[in-house]
Amino acid sequence: MSLSCLLEILVHNSASHDTESNDTSTKNNKGGARNNNSPSFWQRYQAPVLLTVVGGAIDTIGFITLFGFFTAHVTGNLVLAGSGLVKGEDGLWIKLASVPLFILTVVVTKIYIDKSKKQQLILSHLLFAEAVFLTAFMIAGLSFQPFIDAGAITVAITGGLGLTALAIRNTASKTVIKHMSPTVLMTGNTTQLGIGLSDYLSNRTSENAKKLGHSSALVISFVIGALLGAVLYVKLSYWAVGLFVLPVLYLSFLARDKDFLQNIG
């Protein structure tokens, strides 16, 4: 073999090696870019966790102060209304009225969602509306307390404002962010936690662990919110509600960002 042929072969092999190296480098860079762009755990779960904490706290504060009135679990008011009817307790009309108020709020919210011309800002607007009604719930509680009559109009007004706030959230959960697990009603999440635990115990894959972690985070967040709501109410009275308005306003601001909407849990 001549020297020129040998040099030609060496040059060809070197060029092929450089091309493969460049291809590998490009793939690695793309993979790195994907990893860098992938949302962190907090970016993905901050919205459901914070909203669940708020839901648990507001429901607990309303139940403690308004004679067992549920601001989130509206069907629970029907159960308590039935119990109150048998026991002859006051405030039956308030618990019964919570259902049509909840439905009316859902109807109005859904009409707004359907007719809104700025679809990207809908979630931001709904969260802001929730914060406004929670603030009104706080102001009403501070103004009317102490509540001494379960059937008083002051109880109805205060409870209705809290219920309206969380009815807006419930509507958003069923429409705008229906891919996200519910952040107010925990029955489904608790059921999913049991299913996830069963799946993980029988098949310990990373996917099953991820699902279990997701449902666990929501249930634990609700428990934390309920405990925080009770403790802070004892310390701060209805001013405690203001502390739970802040994360809703924070998420309302974040919801104006397209990347946040794409990564939301």
Side-chain angles (χ1 to χ4, degrees), residues 128-189:
F128 182 76
E130 177 185 344
V132 169
F133 276 99
L134 286 178
T135 302
F137 174 65
M138 177 186 71
I139 294 172
L142 290 170
S143 302
F144 297 141
Q145 66 179 350
F147 299 100
I148 56 176
D149 181 3
I153 188 64
T154 54
V155 174
I157 293 172
T158 306
L161 290 169
L163 182 142
T164 300
L166 296 183
I168 293 171
R169 165 101 67 83
N170 269 301
T171 309
S173 296
K174 292 293 185 179
T175 55
V176 182
I177 47 175
K178 58 186 177 182
H179 60 283
M180 189 172 78
S181 298
T183 56
V184 177
L185 303 176
M186 286 296 110
T187 304
N189 290 330

CSV table of all heavy atoms in Angstrom, one decimal, residues 128-189:
chain,number,residue,atom,x,y,z
A,128,PHE,N,-57.6,35.3,41.7
A,128,PHE,CA,-57.7,36.6,42.3
A,128,PHE,C,-59.1,36.8,42.9
A,128,PHE,O,-59.3,37.3,44.0
A,128,PHE,CB,-57.4,37.7,41.2
A,128,PHE,CG,-57.5,39.1,41.8
A,128,PHE,CD1,-56.5,39.6,42.5
A,128,PHE,CD2,-58.6,39.9,41.5
A,128,PHE,CE1,-56.5,40.9,43.0
A,128,PHE,CE2,-58.7,41.1,42.0
A,128,PHE,CZ,-57.7,41.7,42.8
A,129,ALA,N,-60.1,36.3,42.2
A,129,ALA,CA,-61.5,36.4,42.7
A,129,ALA,C,-61.6,35.6,44.0
A,129,ALA,O,-62.3,36.0,44.9
A,129,ALA,CB,-62.5,35.8,41.6
A,130,GLU,N,-61.0,34.4,44.0
A,130,GLU,CA,-61.0,33.6,45.2
A,130,GLU,C,-60.4,34.4,46.4
A,130,GLU,O,-60.9,34.4,47.5
A,130,GLU,CB,-60.2,32.3,45.1
A,130,GLU,CG,-60.2,31.5,46.3
A,130,GLU,CD,-59.3,30.2,46.2
A,130,GLU,OE1,-59.0,29.8,45.1
A,130,GLU,OE2,-59.0,29.6,47.2
A,131,ALA,N,-59.3,35.0,46.1
A,131,ALA,CA,-58.6,35.8,47.2
A,131,ALA,C,-59.5,37.0,47.6
A,131,ALA,O,-59.5,37.3,48.8
A,131,ALA,CB,-57.3,36.4,46.6
A,132,VAL,N,-60.2,37.6,46.7
A,132,VAL,CA,-61.1,38.7,47.1
A,132,VAL,C,-62.2,38.2,48.0
A,132,VAL,O,-62.5,38.8,49.1
A,132,VAL,CB,-61.7,39.3,45.8
A,132,VAL,CG1,-62.9,40.3,46.2
A,132,VAL,CG2,-60.7,40.1,45.0
A,133,PHE,N,-62.8,37.1,47.7
A,133,PHE,CA,-63.9,36.6,48.5
A,133,PHE,C,-63.4,36.0,49.9
A,133,PHE,O,-64.1,36.1,50.9
A,133,PHE,CB,-64.7,35.5,47.8
A,133,PHE,CG,-65.7,36.0,46.9
A,133,PHE,CD1,-65.5,36.1,45.5
A,133,PHE,CD2,-67.0,36.4,47.4
A,133,PHE,CE1,-66.5,36.6,44.7
A,133,PHE,CE2,-67.9,36.9,46.5
A,133,PHE,CZ,-67.7,37.0,45.2
A,134,LEU,N,-62.1,35.5,49.9
A,134,LEU,CA,-61.6,35.1,51.1
A,134,LEU,C,-61.3,36.3,52.0
A,134,LEU,O,-61.5,36.2,53.3
A,134,LEU,CB,-60.3,34.3,50.9
A,134,LEU,CG,-60.4,32.9,50.4
A,134,LEU,CD1,-59.0,32.3,50.1
A,134,LEU,CD2,-61.2,32.0,51.3
A,135,THR,N,-60.9,37.4,51.4
A,135,THR,CA,-60.6,38.6,52.2
A,135,THR,C,-62.0,39.1,52.8
A,135,THR,O,-62.0,39.5,53.9
A,135,THR,CB,-60.0,39.7,51.3
A,135,THR,OG1,-58.8,39.2,50.7
A,135,THR,CG2,-59.8,41.0,52.1
A,136,ALA,N,-63.0,39.0,51.9
A,136,ALA,CA,-64.4,39.4,52.4
A,136,ALA,C,-64.8,38.5,53.6
A,136,ALA,O,-65.5,39.0,54.5
A,136,ALA,CB,-65.3,39.4,51.3
A,137,PHE,N,-64.5,37.2,53.4
A,137,PHE,CA,-64.8,36.2,54.5
A,137,PHE,C,-64.1,36.6,55.8
A,137,PHE,O,-64.7,36.6,56.9
A,137,PHE,CB,-64.3,34.9,54.0
A,137,PHE,CG,-64.4,33.8,55.0
A,137,PHE,CD1,-65.6,33.3,55.5
A,137,PHE,CD2,-63.3,33.1,55.4
A,137,PHE,CE1,-65.7,32.3,56.4
A,137,PHE,CE2,-63.3,32.1,56.3
A,137,PHE,CZ,-64.6,31.7,56.8
A,138,MET,N,-62.9,37.1,55.7
A,138,MET,CA,-62.1,37.5,56.9
A,138,MET,C,-62.7,38.8,57.5
A,138,MET,O,-62.9,38.8,58.7
A,138,MET,CB,-60.7,37.8,56.5
A,138,MET,CG,-59.8,38.3,57.6
A,138,MET,SD,-58.1,38.8,57.1
A,138,MET,CE,-58.5,40.3,56.2
A,139,ILE,N,-63.0,39.8,56.6
A,139,ILE,CA,-63.6,41.0,57.1
A,139,ILE,C,-65.0,40.8,57.8
A,139,ILE,O,-65.3,41.4,58.9
A,139,ILE,CB,-63.7,42.0,56.0
A,139,ILE,CG1,-62.3,42.4,55.5
A,139,ILE,CG2,-64.5,43.3,56.4
A,139,ILE,CD1,-62.4,43.3,54.2
A,140,ALA,N,-65.8,39.9,57.2
A,140,ALA,CA,-67.1,39.6,57.8
A,140,ALA,C,-66.9,38.9,59.1
A,140,ALA,O,-67.6,39.3,60.1
A,140,ALA,CB,-67.9,38.7,56.8
A,141,GLY,N,-66.0,38.0,59.2
A,141,GLY,CA,-65.8,37.3,60.5
A,141,GLY,C,-65.3,38.3,61.6
A,141,GLY,O,-65.7,38.2,62.7
A,142,LEU,N,-64.4,39.2,61.2
A,142,LEU,CA,-63.9,40.1,62.2
A,142,LEU,C,-65.0,41.1,62.6
A,142,LEU,O,-65.1,41.5,63.8
A,142,LEU,CB,-62.7,40.9,61.6
A,142,LEU,CG,-61.4,40.2,61.4
A,142,LEU,CD1,-60.5,41.0,60.6
A,142,LEU,CD2,-60.8,39.8,62.7
A,143,SER,N,-65.9,41.4,61.7
A,143,SER,CA,-67.0,42.4,62.0
A,143,SER,C,-68.1,41.8,62.8
A,143,SER,O,-68.7,42.5,63.7
A,143,SER,CB,-67.5,43.0,60.7
A,143,SER,OG,-66.5,43.6,59.9
A,144,PHE,N,-68.4,40.6,62.5
A,144,PHE,CA,-69.6,40.0,63.2
A,144,PHE,C,-69.4,39.1,64.4
A,144,PHE,O,-70.3,38.8,65.1
A,144,PHE,CB,-70.4,39.1,62.1
A,144,PHE,CG,-70.9,39.9,60.9
A,144,PHE,CD1,-70.8,39.3,59.7
A,144,PHE,CD2,-71.4,41.1,61.1
A,144,PHE,CE1,-71.3,40.0,58.6
A,144,PHE,CE2,-71.9,41.9,60.0
A,144,PHE,CZ,-71.9,41.3,58.7
A,145,GLN,N,-68.1,38.7,64.6
A,145,GLN,CA,-67.9,37.8,65.8
A,145,GLN,C,-68.1,38.6,67.1
A,145,GLN,O,-67.9,39.9,67.1
A,145,GLN,CB,-66.5,37.2,65.7
A,145,GLN,CG,-65.3,38.2,65.8
A,145,GLN,CD,-64.0,37.5,65.7
A,145,GLN,OE1,-63.9,36.3,65.8
A,145,GLN,NE2,-62.9,38.3,65.6
A,146,PRO,N,-68.4,38.0,68.2
A,146,PRO,CA,-68.5,36.5,68.3
A,146,PRO,C,-69.9,36.0,67.8
A,146,PRO,O,-70.9,36.7,67.9
A,146,PRO,CB,-68.4,36.3,69.8
A,146,PRO,CG,-69.0,37.6,70.4
A,146,PRO,CD,-68.5,38.7,69.4
A,147,PHE,N,-69.9,34.9,67.1
A,147,PHE,CA,-71.1,34.3,66.6
A,147,PHE,C,-71.8,33.5,67.7
A,147,PHE,O,-71.2,32.6,68.3
A,147,PHE,CB,-70.8,33.4,65.4
A,147,PHE,CG,-70.2,34.1,64.3
A,147,PHE,CD1,-68.8,34.1,64.0
A,147,PHE,CD2,-71.0,34.9,63.4
A,147,PHE,CE1,-68.3,34.7,63.0
A,147,PHE,CE2,-70.4,35.6,62.3
A,147,PHE,CZ,-69.0,35.5,62.1
A,148,ILE,N,-73.0,33.9,68.1
A,148,ILE,CA,-73.7,33.2,69.2
A,148,ILE,C,-75.0,32.6,68.8
A,148,ILE,O,-75.5,31.8,69.6
A,148,ILE,CB,-73.9,34.2,70.3
A,148,ILE,CG1,-74.8,35.4,69.8
A,148,ILE,CG2,-72.6,34.7,70.9
A,148,ILE,CD1,-75.1,36.4,70.9
A,149,ASP,N,-75.5,32.9,67.6
A,149,ASP,CA,-76.7,32.3,67.1
A,149,ASP,C,-76.5,31.6,65.8
A,149,ASP,O,-76.2,32.2,64.8
A,149,ASP,CB,-77.8,33.4,67.0
A,149,ASP,CG,-79.1,32.8,66.5
A,149,ASP,OD1,-79.3,31.6,66.4
A,149,ASP,OD2,-80.1,33.7,66.3
A,150,ALA,N,-76.7,30.3,65.8
A,150,ALA,CA,-76.4,29.5,64.6
A,150,ALA,C,-77.3,29.8,63.4
A,150,ALA,O,-77.0,29.6,62.3
A,150,ALA,CB,-76.6,28.0,64.9
A,151,GLY,N,-78.4,30.5,63.7
A,151,GLY,CA,-79.4,30.8,62.6
A,151,GLY,C,-79.3,32.3,62.2
A,151,GLY,O,-80.2,32.7,61.4
A,152,ALA,N,-78.3,33.0,62.7
A,152,ALA,CA,-78.2,34.5,62.5
A,152,ALA,C,-77.8,34.8,61.0
A,152,ALA,O,-77.1,34.0,60.4
A,152,ALA,CB,-77.3,35.1,63.4
A,153,ILE,N,-78.3,35.9,60.5
A,153,ILE,CA,-77.9,36.3,59.2
A,153,ILE,C,-76.4,36.6,59.0
A,153,ILE,O,-75.8,36.4,58.0
A,153,ILE,CB,-78.7,37.6,58.7
A,153,ILE,CG1,-78.5,37.9,57.3
A,153,ILE,CG2,-78.3,38.8,59.6
A,153,ILE,CD1,-79.0,36.8,56.3
A,154,THR,N,-75.8,37.0,60.1
A,154,THR,CA,-74.3,37.2,60.1
A,154,THR,C,-73.6,35.9,59.8
A,154,THR,O,-72.5,35.9,59.2
A,154,THR,CB,-73.9,37.8,61.4
A,154,THR,OG1,-74.3,37.0,62.5
A,154,THR,CG2,-74.4,39.2,61.6
A,155,VAL,N,-74.1,34.8,60.4
A,155,VAL,CA,-73.4,33.5,60.1
A,155,VAL,C,-73.6,33.2,58.6
A,155,VAL,O,-72.7,32.7,58.0
A,155,VAL,CB,-74.1,32.4,61.0
A,155,VAL,CG1,-73.5,31.0,60.6
A,155,VAL,CG2,-73.8,32.7,62.4
A,156,ALA,N,-74.8,33.4,58.1
A,156,ALA,CA,-75.1,33.1,56.7
A,156,ALA,C,-74.2,33.9,55.7
A,156,ALA,O,-73.6,33.4,54.8
A,156,ALA,CB,-76.5,33.4,56.4
A,157,ILE,N,-74.0,35.2,56.0
A,157,ILE,CA,-73.2,36.1,55.2
A,157,ILE,C,-71.7,35.7,55.2
A,157,ILE,O,-71.1,35.5,54.2
A,157,ILE,CB,-73.3,37.6,55.7
A,157,ILE,CG1,-74.7,38.1,55.4
A,157,ILE,CG2,-72.3,38.5,54.9
A,157,ILE,CD1,-75.0,39.5,56.0
A,158,THR,N,-71.2,35.4,56.4
A,158,THR,CA,-69.8,35.1,56.6
A,158,THR,C,-69.5,33.7,55.9
A,158,THR,O,-68.6,33.6,55.1
A,158,THR,CB,-69.4,35.0,58.1
A,158,THR,OG1,-69.7,36.2,58.7
A,158,THR,CG2,-67.9,34.7,58.2
A,159,GLY,N,-70.4,32.7,56.2
A,159,GLY,CA,-70.2,31.4,55.6
A,159,GLY,C,-70.4,31.5,54.1
A,159,GLY,O,-69.6,30.8,53.4
A,160,GLY,N,-71.3,32.2,53.6
A,160,GLY,CA,-71.5,32.3,52.2
A,160,GLY,C,-70.3,32.9,51.4
A,160,GLY,O,-70.0,32.5,50.3
A,161,LEU,N,-69.7,33.9,52.0
A,161,LEU,CA,-68.5,34.5,51.4
A,161,LEU,C,-67.3,33.4,51.3
A,161,LEU,O,-66.7,33.3,50.2
A,161,LEU,CB,-68.0,35.7,52.2
A,161,LEU,CG,-68.9,36.9,52.1
A,161,LEU,CD1,-68.5,38.0,53.1
A,161,LEU,CD2,-68.9,37.5,50.7
A,162,GLY,N,-67.1,32.7,52.3
A,162,GLY,CA,-66.1,31.6,52.3
A,162,GLY,C,-66.5,30.5,51.3
A,162,GLY,O,-65.6,30.0,50.6
A,163,LEU,N,-67.7,30.2,51.3
A,163,LEU,CA,-68.2,29.1,50.4
A,163,LEU,C,-68.0,29.6,48.9
A,163,LEU,O,-67.6,28.8,48.0
A,163,LEU,CB,-69.6,28.8,50.7
A,163,LEU,CG,-70.3,27.7,49.8
A,163,LEU,CD1,-71.2,26.8,50.7
A,163,LEU,CD2,-71.1,28.2,48.7
A,164,THR,N,-68.4,30.8,48.6
A,164,THR,CA,-68.2,31.4,47.3
A,164,THR,C,-66.8,31.3,46.8
A,164,THR,O,-66.5,30.9,45.6
A,164,THR,CB,-68.7,32.8,47.2
A,164,THR,OG1,-70.1,32.8,47.6
A,164,THR,CG2,-68.6,33.4,45.8
A,165,ALA,N,-65.9,31.7,47.7
A,165,ALA,CA,-64.4,31.6,47.3
A,165,ALA,C,-64.0,30.2,46.9
A,165,ALA,O,-63.3,30.1,45.8
A,165,ALA,CB,-63.6,32.1,48.5
A,166,LEU,N,-64.4,29.2,47.6
A,166,LEU,CA,-64.0,27.9,47.3
A,166,LEU,C,-64.8,27.2,46.2
A,166,LEU,O,-64.4,26.3,45.6
A,166,LEU,CB,-64.0,27.0,48.6
A,166,LEU,CG,-63.0,27.5,49.7
A,166,LEU,CD1,-63.0,26.6,50.9
A,166,LEU,CD2,-61.6,27.6,49.1
A,167,ALA,N,-66.0,27.8,46.0
A,167,ALA,CA,-66.8,27.3,44.8
A,167,ALA,C,-66.2,27.7,43.5
A,167,ALA,O,-66.2,27.0,42.5
A,167,ALA,CB,-68.2,27.8,44.9
A,168,ILE,N,-65.6,28.9,43.5
A,168,ILE,CA,-64.8,29.4,42.4
A,168,ILE,C,-63.7,28.5,42.1
A,168,ILE,O,-63.4,28.1,41.0
A,168,ILE,CB,-64.4,30.9,42.6
A,168,ILE,CG1,-65.5,31.8,42.6
A,168,ILE,CG2,-63.4,31.3,41.5
A,168,ILE,CD1,-65.2,33.2,43.0
A,169,ARG,N,-62.9,28.1,43.2
A,169,ARG,CA,-61.8,27.2,43.0
A,169,ARG,C,-62.3,25.8,42.5
A,169,ARG,O,-61.6,25.3,41.6
A,169,ARG,CB,-61.2,27.0,44.4
A,169,ARG,CG,-60.2,25.8,44.5
A,169,ARG,CD,-58.8,26.2,44.4
A,169,ARG,NE,-58.4,27.0,45.6
A,169,ARG,CZ,-58.1,26.4,46.7
A,169,ARG,NH1,-58.0,25.1,46.9
A,169,ARG,NH2,-57.8,27.2,47.8
A,170,ASN,N,-63.4,25.3,43.0
A,170,ASN,CA,-63.9,24.0,42.6
A,170,ASN,C,-64.2,24.1,41.1
A,170,ASN,O,-63.9,23.1,40.3
A,170,ASN,CB,-65.1,23.6,43.4
A,170,ASN,CG,-64.8,22.8,44.6
A,170,ASN,OD1,-64.2,21.8,44.5
A,170,ASN,ND2,-65.1,23.3,45.8
A,171,THR,N,-64.8,25.2,40.6
A,171,THR,CA,-65.1,25.3,39.2
A,171,THR,C,-63.8,25.3,38.4
A,171,THR,O,-63.8,24.7,37.3
A,171,THR,CB,-65.9,26.6,39.0
A,171,THR,OG1,-67.0,26.7,39.9
A,171,THR,CG2,-66.4,26.6,37.5
A,172,ALA,N,-62.8,26.0,38.8
A,172,ALA,CA,-61.5,26.1,38.1
A,172,ALA,C,-60.9,24.7,38.0
A,172,ALA,O,-60.4,24.3,37.0
A,172,ALA,CB,-60.6,27.0,38.8
A,173,SER,N,-61.1,23.9,39.1
A,173,SER,CA,-60.5,22.5,39.2
A,173,SER,C,-61.2,21.6,38.2
A,173,SER,O,-60.6,20.6,37.7
A,173,SER,CB,-60.7,22.0,40.6
A,173,SER,OG,-59.9,22.7,41.5
A,174,LYS,N,-62.5,21.9,37.8
A,174,LYS,CA,-63.2,21.0,36.9
A,174,LYS,C,-63.1,21.5,35.5
A,174,LYS,O,-63.6,20.8,34.6
A,174,LYS,CB,-64.7,21.0,37.3
A,174,LYS,CG,-65.0,20.2,38.6
A,174,LYS,CD,-64.6,18.7,38.5
A,174,LYS,CE,-65.0,18.0,39.8
A,174,LYS,NZ,-64.7,16.5,39.6
A,175,THR,N,-62.5,22.7,35.3
A,175,THR,CA,-62.5,23.2,33.9
A,175,THR,C,-61.1,23.7,33.5
A,175,THR,O,-60.4,23.0,32.7
A,175,THR,CB,-63.4,24.5,33.8
A,175,THR,OG1,-63.1,25.4,34.9
A,175,THR,CG2,-64.9,24.0,34.0
A,176,VAL,N,-60.6,24.8,34.0
A,176,VAL,CA,-59.3,25.3,33.6
A,176,VAL,C,-58.2,24.5,34.0
A,176,VAL,O,-57.2,24.3,33.2
A,176,VAL,CB,-59.2,26.7,34.2
A,176,VAL,CG1,-57.9,27.4,33.7
A,176,VAL,CG2,-60.3,27.6,33.9
A,177,ILE,N,-58.2,23.9,35.2
A,177,ILE,CA,-57.0,23.0,35.6
A,177,ILE,C,-57.6,21.6,35.9
A,177,ILE,O,-57.2,21.1,37.0
A,177,ILE,CB,-56.3,23.7,36.8
A,177,ILE,CG1,-57.3,24.1,37.9
A,177,ILE,CG2,-55.4,24.8,36.4
A,177,ILE,CD1,-56.7,24.6,39.2
A,178,LYS,N,-58.4,21.1,35.1
A,178,LYS,CA,-59.0,19.8,35.3
A,178,LYS,C,-57.9,18.6,35.3
A,178,LYS,O,-58.2,17.5,35.8
A,178,LYS,CB,-60.1,19.5,34.4
A,178,LYS,CG,-59.7,19.5,32.9
A,178,LYS,CD,-60.9,19.3,32.0
A,178,LYS,CE,-60.5,19.4,30.5
A,178,LYS,NZ,-61.7,19.3,29.7
A,179,HIS,N,-56.7,18.9,34.8
A,179,HIS,CA,-55.7,17.9,34.8
A,179,HIS,C,-55.0,17.8,36.1
A,179,HIS,O,-54.3,16.9,36.4
A,179,HIS,CB,-54.6,18.2,33.7
A,179,HIS,CG,-54.0,19.6,33.9
A,179,HIS,ND1,-54.6,20.8,33.6
A,179,HIS,CD2,-52.8,19.9,34.5
A,179,HIS,CE1,-53.8,21.8,33.9
A,179,HIS,NE2,-52.7,21.3,34.5
A,180,MET,N,-55.3,18.8,37.0
A,180,MET,CA,-54.7,18.8,38.3
A,180,MET,C,-55.6,18.2,39.3
A,180,MET,O,-56.8,18.4,39.2
A,180,MET,CB,-54.4,20.3,38.8
A,180,MET,CG,-53.6,20.4,40.0
A,180,MET,SD,-53.0,22.1,40.4
A,180,MET,CE,-54.6,22.8,41.0
A,181,SER,N,-55.1,17.4,40.3
A,181,SER,CA,-55.9,16.8,41.3
A,181,SER,C,-56.7,17.8,42.1
A,181,SER,O,-56.2,18.9,42.3
A,181,SER,CB,-55.1,15.9,42.2
A,181,SER,OG,-54.4,14.9,41.5
A,182,PRO,N,-57.9,17.5,42.6
A,182,PRO,CA,-58.7,18.4,43.4
A,182,PRO,C,-57.9,18.9,44.6
A,182,PRO,O,-57.2,18.1,45.2
A,182,PRO,CB,-59.9,17.6,43.8
A,182,PRO,CG,-60.0,16.5,42.7
A,182,PRO,CD,-58.6,16.2,42.3
A,183,THR,N,-58.1,20.2,44.9
A,183,THR,CA,-57.3,20.8,46.0
A,183,THR,C,-58.2,21.2,47.2
A,183,THR,O,-57.8,21.8,48.1
A,183,THR,CB,-56.6,22.0,45.6
A,183,THR,OG1,-57.5,22.9,45.0
A,183,THR,CG2,-55.5,21.7,44.5
A,184,VAL,N,-59.5,20.8,47.1
A,184,VAL,CA,-60.4,21.1,48.2
A,184,VAL,C,-61.1,19.9,48.7
A,184,VAL,O,-61.1,19.6,49.9
A,184,VAL,CB,-61.5,22.1,47.7
A,184,VAL,CG1,-62.5,22.4,48.8
A,184,VAL,CG2,-60.9,23.5,47.3
A,185,LEU,N,-61.7,19.1,47.8
A,185,LEU,CA,-62.3,17.8,48.2
A,185,LEU,C,-61.3,16.7,48.3
A,185,LEU,O,-60.8,16.3,47.2
A,185,LEU,CB,-63.5,17.5,47.2
A,185,LEU,CG,-64.5,18.6,47.0
A,185,LEU,CD1,-65.5,18.2,46.0
A,185,LEU,CD2,-65.2,18.9,48.4
A,186,MET,N,-61.1,16.1,49.4
A,186,MET,CA,-60.1,15.2,49.6
A,186,MET,C,-60.5,13.7,49.5
A,186,MET,O,-59.7,12.8,49.6
A,186,MET,CB,-59.4,15.4,51.0
A,186,MET,CG,-58.5,16.6,51.1
A,186,MET,SD,-57.1,16.5,50.0
A,186,MET,CE,-57.6,17.7,48.7
A,187,THR,N,-61.8,13.5,49.4
A,187,THR,CA,-62.2,12.1,49.3
A,187,THR,C,-61.6,11.3,48.2
A,187,THR,O,-61.1,10.2,48.3
A,187,THR,CB,-63.8,12.0,49.2
A,187,THR,OG1,-64.4,12.7,50.2
A,187,THR,CG2,-64.2,10.5,49.2
A,188,GLY,N,-61.6,11.9,47.0
A,188,GLY,CA,-60.9,11.3,45.8
A,188,GLY,C,-59.5,11.1,46.0
A,188,GLY,O,-58.9,10.1,45.6
A,189,ASN,N,-58.8,12.2,46.6
A,189,ASN,CA,-57.3,12.1,46.8
A,189,ASN,C,-57.0,11.0,47.8
A,189,ASN,O,-56.0,10.3,47.7
A,189,ASN,CB,-56.8,13.4,47.2
A,189,ASN,CG,-56.8,14.4,46.1
A,189,ASN,OD1,-56.7,14.1,44.9
A,189,ASN,ND2,-57.0,15.7,46.4
